Amino acid sequence: MLTAPRQRWARIRWRSTITGALAEEQDFGHPFLFVPVFLGLGALVWFSLAETPGLLKLALLLCVFCMAAGFLRHSPGVWRIATRLATLFLAGMLLAAFETARMGTVLLDTSVTTTVRGTVTGREATDKGYWRYTVTVAQTSDPTLKRASETITLLSRNREAAIAIGGGIEGRARLSPPSGAALVGLNDFAFDSYFKGIGAVGYFYGKPKSIAAPEGSDKGRIARWRAQGKETIARWREAVGVRIRGTIGGDAGAIAAALVTAEERAISRPTIEALREAGLAHVLAISGLNMVLAAGTFLIGARTVLSFIPGLAHRVPIKKLAAAGALIMVFFYILISGGAVSAVRSWIMISIMLVAVFFDRPSISLRNVALSALIILVVTPSAITGPGFQMSFAATLALVAGYAHWRERPDRDLLPTNPKMKPLKAAGGFFAGLLLSSFIGGMSTMIYSAGHFHRLAAYGLIGNILAMPIISIFVMPFALVAMLLMPFGLDYYPLLVMGQGLEWMIAIAGMVSSWGGQVTTGRVPEIAFMLIAAGGVLACLFRTWLAASGLCVIAIGLVVTWAGSVPQPALVIAEDGRLVAMIEGDAAASNRTQPPDFIFSQWQRALRLDDHQKPQQRADLVVKDAETVTEEMADTAAGKRNRPPIDKEVAQNAVRKLLADSPSGRFACIPKQVCAATTRQGWKIVTVDDARFVGIACDEADIVVTSAMLRFPSCRSGATLLSGQSLRRSGAVEIHAVASSIDDKPAMQLVFALEQLHRPWARHRTYDWRTGRFDEAETDQ
């Protein structure tokens, strides 16, 4: 036990050690690295708030902290640092608020069938030969939408010649709002669509017609030029993609086109799954790997060619000339790549690195990573919420930090300095660097893969070690050569070499995925996710022994992950009310023989479900329409689109029989009418496809789920009613069992995917097209 003087001396030494470490960090300019971190934190908090704060309040608060930071700029101690960090945090919130206000995307409020007339601003072929159009809407009719979205995406199941970009399009279409999260905490696609400017998604009935392009709106000249520029770039992208797919063909051609234009829909689903399970899905995204290989190949190739010109290297700096050419090349690359976050981040970083060559500055540094993150956060702060931004910067940050430590290591050659050993040494260095970079990249993105996609590739390291030499030698270099020769029509043979390399990569992915290497992690506790992510950032940004604090935070996060868990629901209900599943262990018993894969696959990964128990079909219990129809019943049927009534007594007996005879833990269904089951908690649940059964279901069940848009909000019997109208406001629902002292049955706790409806990307759910107003009184859950 230390005496009082020794305790004071220990505290002084500890403080001086921390002060010295912070001073060393400041000497190296590392405080700048935390600028995008706190800007991003502010944006994240703003997007997660229950209500939208006023811009004026945020601006005033930011001014106050800016003045406080100015007054304390020369003050030592924690207050100077705290005011600066608070200023950055509030600036991040304000940037998020500005972006949200700037977007102003009109999201469709409810599903509708209407005639759409507009202009094609983009199109993409799918793996089945269909076409997905991006349409700027000029007019809707039959019915005319009061809140028509400006830009929508529509699928045409027509394999004939597609309507050209810039051309007019018209057709009968089914439009739907972008879907919300499949479960609490999962990706909200409506949020993504809001910031992409896509207000609705859907499909055409039949073949859409090609018409004259509608006249543009009264926008300014700059807006028209911007729209024309986007259409021109879209035509370039499509022409390049068609050329590549036509030359290579198959999935290899689709992947080759995706590496250049980021159009991935033409890749078959089995190939995409194989790449994901082999840990090679990152190859499809235009990210640092693609951009570095392309820029590096151009830089080295151009410098080599210029060095062959007699006397040129003595008169001009050929390295800077090659860097200028590479800078122009990556600029055109980003133009036709679609502008994904990973591509923009890579382009900014590569551009900074190439510009650094002009001034003879180090090109690979953490400051370049921070500067690229800062630019993206200032322009599009919403990007920080997505897995693309988080995984891209996590991998880049870890690789650059690892490179810095590797560069500063003591020079210890393991191989003798024999000139004959140089090729062996170079090959060993190449594969050692490949192994180390694959390991660092995989480890740094693991938490984000588990947190967002709830799965990991167990053999991803092996897949990357086997495939990356092929990508580095055969795929990306020859892709660059093909793109440079394409304007002259000389791209055929380089594309063939690129295609062969991709065929080898697909074969490697198939082999690795056949080992069954996908690990389903389930939902990660939020606190664990934040701790591990924050610890990784600290470990990479600090240069001194303070980096160990990041490793400690990671260790705490791993302990929380191991010790804690996300509670498993007893029932999960999709936001459209059509799919319901009872959860017990790793099994899910749903009310659909073939549940929609888009929703159910997310449930399986998030809840770690391995077994799907299909419902029992009871065609012998089909309830027919009533044989005798009274005048009152006929009036009721006329008010329900002329649907004849059913015999209530027969229907009630059928529902009771379903509940009594349903297999343990499984649904029993009358096709296209009603399904029923009794959960292991003793709750009776009935899902209704035919709205005429709702009243009967309310009388017989504890929980009633239907997709019908009912006018009444609850059952008179007191049963829990989840209708299309209520689910529209709540999103997907989880029902958990909690202890109850009233009776033997556990009580039900409902957890909604949407906790609030005040934010711009969720407010469309409260719009009533009959009155043309937002129902603000019902926006709170």
Side-chain angles (χ1 to χ4, degrees):
M1 184 174 179
L2 296 176
T3 61
R6 288 185 177 181
Q7 290 178 352
R8 286 195 298 271
W9 176 244
R11 285 196 297 268
I12 292 171
R13 290 185 62 185
W14 175 249
R15 289 173 184 171
S16 63
T17 303
I18 295 179
T19 304
L22 291 175
E24 185 177 349
E25 296 285 351
Q26 188 168 2
D27 291 340
F28 282 101
H30 281 203
F32 173 75
L33 305 181
F34 288 88
V35 172
V37 173
F38 281 88
L39 279 178
L41 283 176
L44 277 174
V45 169
W46 192 91
F47 288 122
S48 63
L49 291 176
E51 297 186 16
T52 302
L55 281 174
L56 182 59
K57 294 180 181 178
L58 279 177
L60 290 175
L61 196 58
L62 179 61
C63 289
V64 170
F65 275 91
C66 281
M67 290 187 291
F71 287 133
L72 298 173
R73 65 185 182 277
H74 298 302
S75 300
V78 69
W79 289 110
R80 175 173 58 87
I81 298 175
T83 53
R84 290 183 178 182
L85 295 182
T87 302
L88 291 172
F89 184 86
L90 289 170
M93 296 184 70
L94 197 62
L95 288 171
F98 277 135
E99 184 193 15
T100 304
R102 183 179 75 246
M103 292 303 300
T105 305
V106 176
L107 298 180
L108 187 67
D109 51 274
T110 189
S111 298
V112 64
T113 299
T114 184
T115 300
V116 175
R117 187 169 180 264
T119 304
V120 176
T121 56
R123 64 180 187 180
E124 186 176 351
T126 69
D127 60 322
K128 296 181 179 179
Y130 302 149
W131 288 95
R132 184 176 296 275
Y133 295 99
T134 302
V135 180
T136 299
V137 179
Q139 182 183 3
T140 59
S141 58
D142 192 24
T144 300
L145 303 184
K146 296 180 180 179
R147 292 182 68 255
S149 303
E150 183 177 351
T151 305
I152 62 177
T153 60
L154 290 169
L155 177 67
S156 172
R157 296 185 177 91
N158 176 50
R159 294 186 174 90
E160 298 179 12
I163 298 174
I165 296 174
I169 191 170
E170 182 179 9
R172 195 73 175 165
R174 180 67 175 176
L175 301 180
S176 299
S179 61
L183 280 179
V184 177
L186 271 60
N187 185 52
D188 185 353
F189 296 95
F191 178 90
D192 297 338
S193 294
Y194 180 87
F195 287 98
K196 290 178 181 177
I198 305 297
V201 296
Y203 56 88
F204 283 109
Y205 290 109
K207 179 181 177 182
K209 294 188 297 183
S210 177
I211 61 174
E215 295 182 3
S217 59
D218 297 332
K219 294 182 178 180
R221 181 179 300 177
I222 296 178
R224 291 197 300 270
W225 287 349
R226 185 184 295 117
Q228 292 172 0
K230 288 182 179 179
E231 288 185 8
T232 302
I233 294 172
R235 293 192 188 97
W236 290 353
R237 291 182 66 202
E238 183 187 33
V240 171
V242 170
R243 175 76 174 180
I244 294 174
R245 288 193 295 268
T247 303
I248 299 177
D251 278 337
I255 295 175
L259 292 176
V260 178
T261 65
E263 295 179 349
E264 301 179 12
R265 295 187 185 275
I267 308 172
S268 66
R269 184 66 179 270
T271 299
I272 290 179
E273 287 300 317
L275 291 171
R276 286 174 178 168
E277 293 177 5
L280 294 172
H282 66 90
V283 176
L284 300 178
I286 297 177
S287 58
L289 169 68
N290 313 57
M291 203 76 72
V292 165
L293 289 175
T297 302
F298 187 96
L299 186 66
I300 295 172
R303 190 177 180 183
T304 303
V305 170
L306 291 174
S307 66
F308 288 147
I309 301 176
L312 182 64
H314 298 287
R315 294 192 300 269
V316 296
I318 60 173
K319 181 180 179 181
K320 296 181 180 180
L321 285 179
L327 195 61
I328 297 172
M329 184 274 298
V330 295
F331 173 73
F332 281 101
Y333 192 3
I334 193 64
L335 281 182
I336 64 172
S337 68
V341 173
S342 59
V344 174
R345 189 269 309 162
S346 303
W347 171 66
I348 294 172
M349 275 203 63
I350 294 297
S351 299
I352 293 172
M353 291 168 61
L354 293 172
V355 170
V357 174
F358 298 154
F359 301 97
D360 300 314
R361 302 287 294 176
S363 55
I364 301 177
S365 68
L366 290 174
R367 292 181 68 86
N368 291 347
V369 181
L371 186 57
S372 60
L374 184 61
I375 294 173
I376 292 178
L377 289 173
V378 169
V379 178
T380 56
S382 61
I384 196 173
T385 63
F389 180 98
Q390 296 173 13
M391 297 181 74
S392 176
F393 273 97
T396 305
L397 190 62
L399 288 170
V400 173
Y403 171 76
H405 287 290
W406 176 266
R407 184 178 54 192
E408 295 172 4
R409 80 191 191 285
D411 189 12
R412 298 173 182 173
D413 288 332
L414 300 179
L415 294 176
T417 58
N418 189 335
K420 295 181 179 180
M421 300 298 291
K422 285 186 177 180
L424 181 60
K425 184 178 180 180
F430 173 78
F431 285 102
L434 177 64
L435 176 63
L436 187 60
S437 61
S438 298
F439 177 77
I440 293 175
M443 292 297 293
S444 61
T445 58
M446 188 176 292
I447 183 60
Y448 300 99
S449 181
H452 290 287
F453 307 113
H454 314 110
R455 59 182 178 183
L456 300 172
Y459 302 107
L461 181 60
I462 297 176
N464 278 272
I465 292 174
L466 294 175
M468 290 312 298
I470 296 173
I471 297 169
S472 303
I473 297 172
F474 294 99
V475 176
M476 290 308 301
F478 282 92
L480 173 63
V481 174
M483 292 304 299
L484 293 175
L485 296 178
M486 188 174 289
F488 309 102
L490 302 175
D491 57 312
Y492 180 76
Y493 289 107
L495 285 177
L496 289 184
V497 177
M498 180 186 181
Q500 184 59 59
L502 290 172
E503 291 285 359
W504 293 337
M505 186 192 74
I506 294 172
I508 291 171
M511 178 186 68
V512 176
S513 65
S514 67
W515 301 341
Q518 179 173 297
V519 178
T520 303
T521 63
R523 287 185 287 190
V524 179
E526 290 186 5
I527 183 64
F529 180 88
M530 291 187 290
L531 285 172
I532 296 174
V537 171
L538 294 176
C540 292
L541 294 187
F542 281 129
R543 177 189 179 92
T544 61
W545 63 268
L546 292 175
S549 64
L551 299 179
C552 294
V553 174
I554 292 175
I556 296 172
L558 292 175
V559 171
V560 172
T561 303
W562 176 75
S565 61
V566 179
Q568 192 87 328
L571 280 168
V572 287
I573 302 159
E575 68 173 358
D576 62 358
R578 300 182 184 277
L579 178 63
V580 179
M582 296 181 291
I583 309 299
E584 185 171 2
D586 62 352
S590 78
N591 63 330
R592 300 292 175 188
T593 303
Q594 293 183 332
D597 183 67
F598 179 72
I599 299 294
F600 195 68
S601 62
Q602 295 182 70
W603 289 3
Q604 287 179 309
R605 293 193 298 270
L607 302 177
R608 302 184 67 180
L609 304 175
D610 296 326
D611 183 25
H612 174 224
Q613 298 179 359
K614 299 180 180 180
Q616 181 187 68
Q617 300 295 331
R618 296 294 303 272
D620 57 306
L621 295 179
V622 172
V623 179
K624 299 181 181 179
D625 299 336
E627 296 181 359
T628 59
V629 181
T630 64
E631 183 177 350
E632 180 182 357
M633 295 167 68
D635 291 340
T636 303
K640 296 182 179 179
R641 298 184 181 179
N642 297 320
R643 298 182 65 186
I646 57 176
D647 190 315
K648 290 188 177 181
E649 184 177 353
V650 174
Q652 191 171 38
N653 290 333
V655 172
R656 289 175 177 174
K657 191 167 183 61
L658 280 181
L659 288 168
D661 298 345
S662 61
S664 177
R666 286 178 59 190
F667 277 95
C669 298
I670 303 175
K672 299 181 180 181
Q673 290 187 332
V674 67
C675 295
T678 302
T679 69
R680 61 184 175 87
Q681 292 82 11
W683 305 329
K684 294 180 179 179
I685 177 172
V686 176
T687 66
V688 179
D689 291 331
D690 188 336
R692 296 174 294 179
F693 282 82
V694 171
I696 297 168
C698 282
D699 294 336
E700 301 296 330
D702 300 312
I703 305 170
V704 179
V705 182
T706 179
S707 60
M709 305 295 286
L710 304 177
R711 296 295 184 89
F712 51 92
S714 60
C715 293
R716 291 178 296 178
S717 63
T720 300
L721 175 63
L722 298 170
S723 66
Q725 188 70 16
S726 64
L727 289 170
R728 180 189 176 209
R729 288 177 164 82
S730 67
V733 178
E734 297 179 19
I735 300 181
H736 296 257
V738 295
S740 174
S741 59
I742 299 177
D743 51 28
D744 295 335
K745 289 184 183 179
M748 290 183 288
Q749 180 185 19
L750 276 66
V751 181
F752 304 122
L754 286 174
E755 297 180 353
Q756 44 73 31
L757 294 174
H758 296 284
R759 307 311 298 273
W761 50 86
R763 191 167 177 257
H764 64 282
R765 294 174 179 262
T766 68
Y767 183 77
D768 187 349
W769 60 269
R770 297 177 181 86
T771 62
R773 294 182 299 176
F774 291 94
D775 191 357
E776 299 291 353
E778 299 186 33
T779 56
D780 292 315
Q781 296 297 333

